[in-house]
Amino acid sequence: MFLCSPQMETSLELTNMTRVQQFVLLGFPTRLGIRDALFVVFLSLYLLTLLENTLIIYLICGHSELHKPMYFFLGNLSCLEMCYVSATMPTLLVGLWTGPYHISFVTCMTQLFFFVSLICTECTLLASMAYDRYVAICRPLHYPLLMRPQVCLGLALSSWLGGLVVSAIKTKCIASLTYCGPNVLNQFFCDVSPLLNLSCTHVALTELVDFISAIVIFCGTLLVSLASYSAIAMAVLRMPSAAARRKAFSTCASHLVVVGIFYSAALFIYCRPSRIKSMDLNKVLSVIYTVVTPLCNPIIYCLRNKEVHTVLRKTLHWP
């Protein structure tokens, strides 16, 4: 009879573990009637978000009056919001329609990749838009030079490519972990924290990569946005006209509300050195930055804009 060493026994145990081939997205496990009502609500919000952002992209691309740096970034943001909400909303809707939703490992990692990529890109785009407004208000004479087309294109490409690179690294780290059961994710899409909670291997390195990338992306872009809006606020306070000050503060305040809601929810979930235990709170906050902000951003940033109103009335032949 052969005697196995403790190392060999551990190796055999790991070998005998069945690697998870699919996950179950728990979603919102409520009564059927409530799920039906939530399905109608979220489907309506999804379609409205797609409609808003499609309209903005159409207006910006089809009218030369809107071929300016600010609207270039808004067009990128609208395109991102459509991709962003489409990366998470389908599994939410299917879960509400059918109950707990089974998703394959590969599909889950693919959803995670696109979600992380898009959320990183959104952070960078919001910072670029804040910088654009800072240059326009605080350094208007240098605006044509500082925000020339090459610079705008470079900022946009950096946002999209940077998000892809960060997401590729994070997704590779999470996909390389071993998941050996249970396979139930207490979330409505494949997110970082629920997946880390299910891993049966050491996740310290993955958590460190997640934490560092969150600090660099979220906190870095948040500081740029706050610095830009603070400089704008100081410039507005020096304006001689009270009416101009009220108008500028109204615009900045609405922008800051959206930025504040998005970053507050995202930072709470992602800028932490350990896994989140309160998954119900996680789901509520996830709804805020995956559903609410994509719906509100077009209204706050674009549809309240006077130039966009003029172009929209012209397109619809309104007086």
Side-chain angles (χ1 to χ4, degrees), residues 12-131:
L12 287 172
E13 288 176 3
L14 290 174
T15 302
N16 290 332
M17 285 181 178
T18 302
R19 184 180 176 88
V20 168
Q21 299 298 319
Q22 66 176 5
F23 295 103
V24 179
L25 296 176
L26 195 58
F28 295 93
T30 60
R31 295 195 304 273
L32 182 60
I34 297 177
R35 286 214 318 264
D36 291 341
L38 288 175
F39 177 85
V40 173
V41 170
F42 282 114
L43 178 61
S44 301
L45 294 177
Y46 179 43
L47 295 177
L48 181 59
T49 301
L50 294 179
L51 177 62
E52 288 176 347
N53 288 286
T54 301
L55 177 62
I56 289 172
I57 294 172
Y58 170 76
L59 293 176
I60 292 174
C61 293
H63 296 82
S64 58
E65 306 97 303
L66 301 182
H67 292 176
K68 300 175 183 179
M70 179 177 71
Y71 299 109
F72 170 76
F73 289 119
L74 287 172
N76 275 269
L77 183 64
S78 290
C79 181
L80 181 140
E81 300 289 18
M82 293 174 67
C83 299
Y84 185 48
V85 74
S86 296
T88 56
M89 189 67 80
T91 51
L92 170 60
L93 293 174
V94 172
L96 290 172
W97 185 260
T98 64
Y101 174 62
H102 293 256
I103 184 171
S104 70
F105 182 86
V106 173
T107 304
C108 183
M109 291 301 124
T110 302
Q111 184 183 48
L112 177 69
F113 171 78
F114 283 111
F115 170 73
V116 173
S117 173
L118 292 168
I119 197 173
C120 291
T121 301
E122 177 155 8
C123 290
T124 315
L125 274 178
L126 290 175
S128 299
M129 292 165 62
Y131 173 72

Side-chain angles (χ1 to χ4, degrees), residues 174 177-179 191-204 206-208 210-211 268-279 282:
I174 294 173
L177 298 174
T178 300
Y179 302 91
D191 199 3
V192 176
S193 294
L195 286 167
L196 292 180
N197 284 333
L198 292 188
S199 175
C200 53
T201 54
H202 195 55
V203 297
T206 303
E207 286 188 330
L208 180 61
D210 181 39
F211 179 65
F268 181 86
I269 293 178
Y270 293 104
C271 282
R272 76 280 182 270
S274 60
R275 290 171 281 187
I276 290 179
K277 301 300 181 184
S278 179
M279 287 295 113
N282 194 352

